[in-house]
Amino acid sequence: MNLITFAITSMVCLFVFTSCQDTDIDGMLSDDHSTFSLADNTSGFGLSYPDQELLFGKTIEQWSTEWWKTMMSYDCANNPLNQQTLSMTVKQASAVVFLTGVTDGIALRTITVSRHNALFVPIINVLKEYSAAGGVQNSVPDQTIEQILKAEAHNYINLVTNIKADLDGRPMKIGSNSRVATDLFYFKGNKGLSNCTQHTVTGQLQVAVSDGYWLFLQNLSPGRHTLHTHAEILATGIVPDVYYNIIVR
């Protein structure tokens, strides 16, 4: 079993990777979308995620697994992780837009969205996947694959320090309730990613778990907004620092 660590933080990753063309978006919002609104917060605002509360029909854990499935569907040529700067206009039917970042270093993202869109943003996260190729590593007798993967992901994210985020210059509260760890889930990735990432991707169904810190932003007012996320893993020298220019129409 290969246990592959791949830390990813904030950059623009969409359900459908599109070109930078102005497009109308048919958002699908629920009637009650005020729970995680930022509109009424003036300072020190932040978000927490009750495990079973639904946001646009899914729990936060389910959104994080969907985010990873989307990330793993890209080929190397279109993988946003290969780009330090990225600019695009969202063209998708879903109300929830996935943002992503870089594995390390400073990145700049510019994205245009509809005011009806919500944004799902990883500050820093990790995928632990299983591949039958290569045998068993870091295993403990009597542990299941899920237990091993969860322990690896948990231990990695526990190394994260100095987690920060601010929206339009206002600091956001990032705490333990912003951390989301998944159960075992299945994904079918693009086999070519094995050539340009640290993942071993078979092109067939594989199992994985994820752990990390996330933001779920909605009800952003029309106009321009700036989002900045930062995290550090000093033990490995990883310091992802991502700036987003968000244009809401």
Side-chain angles (χ1 to χ4, degrees):
M1 177 178 67
N2 291 336
L3 304 177
I4 308 297
T5 301
F6 193 43
I8 297 183
T9 55
S10 330
M11 130 191 95
V12 181
C13 168
L14 309 177
F15 286 105
V16 180
F17 194 85
T18 62
S19 62
C20 303
Q21 299 177 344
D22 292 339
T23 308
D24 291 332
I25 302 169
D26 296 325
M28 298 182 293
L29 286 173
S30 62
D31 292 333
D32 181 7
H33 52 277
S34 61
T35 304
F36 298 99
S37 171
L38 303 180
D40 298 327
N41 294 281
T42 57
S43 64
F45 54 88
L47 306 177
S48 61
Y49 314 124
D51 290 340
Q52 300 305 315
E53 183 157 352
L54 296 182
L55 296 170
F56 302 95
K58 292 183 175 68
T59 65
I60 292 295
E61 179 182 339
Q62 289 171 330
W63 280 120
S64 65
T65 61
E66 289 299 320
W67 185 93
W68 273 109
K69 290 176 183 179
T70 302
M71 282 300 302
M72 300 305 291
S73 69
Y74 290 120
D75 58 22
C76 288
N78 293 311
N79 192 328
L81 288 172
N82 296 334
Q83 305 177 50
Q84 291 299 116
T85 61
L86 189 63
S87 178
M88 57 174 31
T89 296
V90 176
K91 181 182 179 181
Q92 63 182 62
S94 173
V96 178
V97 173
F98 291 171
L99 305 189
T100 58
V102 289
T103 56
D104 191 18
I106 298 174
L108 175 64
R109 312 298 183 205
T110 299
I111 182 170
T112 300
V113 297
S114 164
R115 62 185 177 85
H116 299 301
N117 287 125
L119 306 180
F120 190 52
V121 188
I123 301 174
I124 187 166
N125 62 355
V126 65
L127 181 74
K128 290 289 186 175
E129 69 198 48
Y130 169 80
S131 171
V136 177
Q137 301 174 8
N138 302 326
S139 61
V140 175
D142 300 324
Q143 279 195 324
T144 65
I145 291 174
E146 181 174 24
Q147 289 172 328
I148 296 171
L149 295 176
K150 280 187 170 182
E152 289 283 323
H154 178 83
N155 292 339
Y156 187 85
I157 294 299
N158 277 353
L159 297 175
V160 178
T161 60
N162 198 21
I163 308 170
K164 299 184 292 185
D166 63 77
L167 180 66
D168 296 332
R170 296 179 294 169
M172 306 182 73
K173 295 177 181 177
I174 307 299
S176 58
N177 54 10
S178 299
R179 183 173 175 176
V180 181
T182 74
D183 291 328
L184 199 72
F185 65 90
Y186 288 89
F187 75 94
K188 185 177 181 179
N190 188 307
K191 188 175 181 179
L193 289 178
S194 295
N195 299 321
C196 60
T197 71
Q198 297 178 31
H199 285 288
T200 299
V201 185
T202 66
Q204 304 298 319
L205 280 180
Q206 295 176 249
V207 293
V209 303
S210 172
D211 198 342
Y213 289 86
W214 303 82
L215 299 174
F216 202 107
L217 310 182
Q218 59 184 339
N219 293 343
L220 291 177
S221 60
R224 293 180 177 269
H225 299 274
T226 58
L227 174 66
H228 175 222
T229 63
H230 178 93
E232 300 174 6
I233 304 181
L234 298 180
T236 58
I238 293 176
V239 183
D241 195 74
V242 186
Y243 294 84
Y244 300 90
N245 295 317
I246 303 170
I247 303 168
V248 181
R249 293 181 172 174

